[in-house]
Amino acid sequence: MRTSSTMRTHRTVKKATRGVTSRAANKAAKRTTRTAATLAAGALALSLTACGGDDGDGGDKGGQTGGGKETAATVTLPKLDGESLEVAAVWTGAEQENFKKVLAEFEKRTGAKVTFVPAQDPIINFLGSKIAGGAPPDVAMLPQPGAIKQAVDKSWAKPLGAEATKELTENYSQGWQDIGKVAGKQFGVYYKAANKSLIWYNAQVFENAGAAEPKTWDELLTTAQTVYDSGVTPFSVGGADGWTLTDWFENVYLSQAGPEKYDQLAKHEIKWTDPSVKEALTTLAEIWGKKDYVAGGASGALQTEFPASVTQTFTGGDQPKAGMVYEGDFVQVNIGETDAKVGTDAKVFPFPAVGDTAPVVSGGDAAVILEDSKASQALVTWLASPDAAAIHAKLGGFLSPNKNVDMSAYPNEVQKKIAEALVAAGDDFRFDMSDQAPQAFGGTPGKGEWKALQDFLKNPEDVAGAQQRLEADAAAAYGD
């Protein structure tokens, strides 16, 4: 999740993937990797341009999906009368409330009592304090593969049992299964995913400006200038939340440097002082460093939290604070807090290609068992089922990597097409880079990559300094 206010849910499967290519890769590598990535990104682009308006309010229809189809039980759960469970996650607001409805259905089917425990970032530190106090939650929703590995290394996480593993195998592609494994054992179920290669825009602003949806980075710069010339600041950036900045970087880097370099940097097999990082930061500076291209300037962006970066793009009539905001599919939750309608007032296009092909970056939140029991295994089995995902899907602002979720569960055509594209991509995408890093580098507010990119947003001319800070922090976190 990184997923919503803390969604880094929200952060494209890395090992068995064949991702996007770039002009930086050699021609032979391009030929071997281009086809799959083009299909994945192309499917996303085709899906989004084919989207219509909101075809429903996505409300609870009493056992029905968003399309009105009866939801049949697809998973068998044990009776757990008298059992109590705690589930910890960093989710807040609508995201938390919607997840509680999924837990309520589990309670109804099993007789167990489930309590949601609000966690703080970084969640590993939060869990450490709970475990030290002798009161760990039974299940935790972890937003990074690195956090799963840490939980395993600390002997906190427990492997999935046979029923949960069976449900996972039936409903998920191999790549989504693998990202939840540590040393070959299955520890995580990626319940919630995020498509993090999207730019949302105010349709009225684009219409007034005569702006077009771009397909390349150069076209994005042209679109931004067109919006600027119409009297509206082009971009809203939630710089107070460092994870939004890592997401910007990852999309540029994946498309420009290519999947092989992306995987190497994610593992710190190449340094952040590498020329490919310099090129990506220089490219980012074409927007971050352009005068009056970011709402509030750098100082304003650094005081803008993610939810506000979205809502300020879709409020203020035809003079909002910005015309565009970059982030994942989960932006829809925040758009829902405004009067804008997804698909009509609020539209979306894929993150433009910086290199040869557009990036396809995803993230997710995985359910991990900390207290092994019949009840906790049953809950994770439930979260791996299409039944659980369908309940959450129809509430909006949710994307599941579960390939057996009926697409009619999604409440509008935009979300439906984004989900279809994610499932169709299979393993041909990359998981959020910062979520693969040790949490000290890629997932801690005010430290590591988050802080280094916030400093870079403040001073986009200092590319070399940003690289040096990133490398120093990465080396310390990776233990190099």
Side-chain angles (χ1 to χ4, degrees):
M1 245 252 66
R2 295 235 245 266
T3 77
S4 90
S5 55
T6 46
M7 301 179 201
R8 291 167 309 278
T9 57
H10 332 1
R11 270 156 106 92
T12 6
V13 182
K14 58 178 180 178
K15 291 186 179 178
T17 58
R18 300 171 182 80
V20 203
T21 62
S22 82
R23 56 185 140 178
N26 62 57
K27 292 185 181 294
K30 285 181 182 178
R31 284 195 294 270
T32 58
T33 58
R34 181 178 294 139
T35 301
T38 300
L39 287 172
L44 175 60
L46 180 62
S47 295
L48 295 183
T49 55
C51 289
D54 193 324
D55 65 356
D57 61 8
D60 192 342
K61 298 181 181 178
Q64 295 180 336
T65 67
K69 183 178 178 181
E70 287 293 333
T71 304
T74 65
V75 60
T76 301
L77 299 171
K79 286 299 179 184
L80 300 169
D81 295 317
E83 296 288 335
S84 295
L85 288 164
E86 288 187 345
V87 182
V90 295
W91 298 335
T92 59
E95 188 177 23
Q96 181 186 129
E97 291 307 310
N98 290 348
F99 183 57
K100 285 180 176 178
K101 293 177 183 178
V102 178
L103 299 179
E105 180 63 18
F106 176 79
E107 291 178 323
K108 178 180 175 182
R109 294 195 188 189
T110 64
K113 173 65 176 176
V114 186
T115 301
F116 182 90
V117 177
Q120 290 83 46
D121 267 326
I123 192 170
I124 283 293
N125 293 356
F126 171 83
L127 295 176
S129 64
K130 298 290 283 185
I131 289 168
D138 297 274
V139 174
M141 308 302 293
L142 300 184
Q144 302 114 347
I148 297 175
K149 186 176 186 303
Q150 282 183 275
V152 172
D153 290 345
K154 293 174 181 290
S155 299
W156 296 350
K158 308 300 187 292
L160 300 190
E163 290 302 315
T165 301
K166 176 176 178 289
E167 197 69 23
L168 182 67
T169 302
E170 290 177 354
N171 297 318
Y172 288 76
S173 70
Q174 189 61 51
W176 282 105
Q177 294 176 52
D178 289 346
I179 205 71
K181 289 180 179 177
V182 177
K185 288 186 178 181
Q186 196 75 53
F187 286 91
V189 168
Y190 270 89
Y191 167 73
K192 191 175 194 290
N195 184 319
K196 306 192 79 176
S197 296
L198 303 171
I199 295 181
W200 298 81
Y201 67 94
N202 186 309
Q204 189 62 56
V205 168
F206 267 47
E207 182 180 341
N208 291 349
E213 294 185 2
K215 292 183 172 59
T216 67
W217 183 263
D218 288 343
E219 290 177 3
L220 177 64
L221 297 179
T222 298
T223 296
Q225 186 64 43
T226 302
V227 170
Y228 175 79
D229 290 343
S230 76
V232 177
T233 302
F235 296 97
S236 177
V237 176
D241 293 312
W243 60 267
T244 65
L245 306 183
T246 69
D247 289 351
W248 267 100
F249 172 82
E250 288 157 9
N251 276 275
V252 170
Y253 190 82
L254 176 57
S255 184
Q256 192 171 62
E260 293 182 9
K261 284 272 193 181
Y262 185 95
D263 290 344
Q264 290 168 358
L265 189 60
K267 299 171 186 174
H268 202 223
E269 293 175 352
I270 58 174
K271 295 184 177 182
W272 284 82
T273 49
D274 189 85
S276 62
V277 177
K278 177 181 179 180
E279 186 178 16
L281 291 174
T282 302
T283 298
L284 268 178
E286 293 176 347
I287 288 177
W288 291 4
K290 180 81 169 179
K291 182 174 173 58
D292 299 327
Y293 260 33
V294 175
S299 60
L302 289 168
Q303 296 176 57
T304 303
E305 295 181 342
F306 165 71
S309 75
V310 178
T311 55
Q312 71 182 16
T313 306
F314 299 102
T315 53
D318 62 359
Q319 288 292 312
K321 290 188 177 179
M324 291 176 276
V325 60
Y326 157 70
E327 253 311 333
D329 61 284
F330 45 80
V331 161
Q332 293 176 89
V333 171
N334 308 94
I335 294 174
E337 297 172 358
T338 73
D339 293 332
K341 301 297 182 185
V342 171
T344 53
D345 307 311
K347 295 187 177 181
V348 62
F349 57 84
F351 197 99
V354 187
D356 288 341
T357 53
V360 183
V361 177
S362 185
D365 292 272
V368 174
I369 295 171
L370 303 181
E371 288 286 291
D372 199 6
S373 67
K374 182 179 180 180
S376 59
Q377 290 284 351
L379 178 58
V380 173
T381 300
W382 165 244
L383 295 177
S385 74
D387 298 18
I391 292 170
H392 208 149
K394 71 179 180 179
L395 297 170
F398 173 84
L399 188 65
S400 174
N402 189 315
K403 62 186 179 183
N404 290 321
V405 174
D406 191 324
M407 291 296 157
S408 67
Y410 290 97
N412 60 64
E413 282 299 306
V414 170
Q415 188 72 0
K416 178 181 176 183
K417 297 300 182 181
I418 292 172
E420 287 175 341
L422 178 70
V423 171
D427 297 335
D428 294 323
F429 49 91
R430 284 300 190 271
F431 203 92
D432 183 293
M433 185 190 294
S434 62
D435 283 357
Q436 299 180 49
Q439 192 154 328
F441 178 67
T444 302
K447 294 184 178 180
E449 189 181 1
W450 291 19
K451 179 62 164 59
L453 289 180
Q454 286 174 323
D455 290 344
F456 181 65
L457 174 61
K458 188 185 302 181
N459 184 16
E461 294 182 357
D462 189 16
V463 172
Q467 285 186 271
Q468 291 167 2
R469 286 188 291 274
L470 285 161
E471 175 54 29
D473 291 342
Y478 283 87
D480 296 341

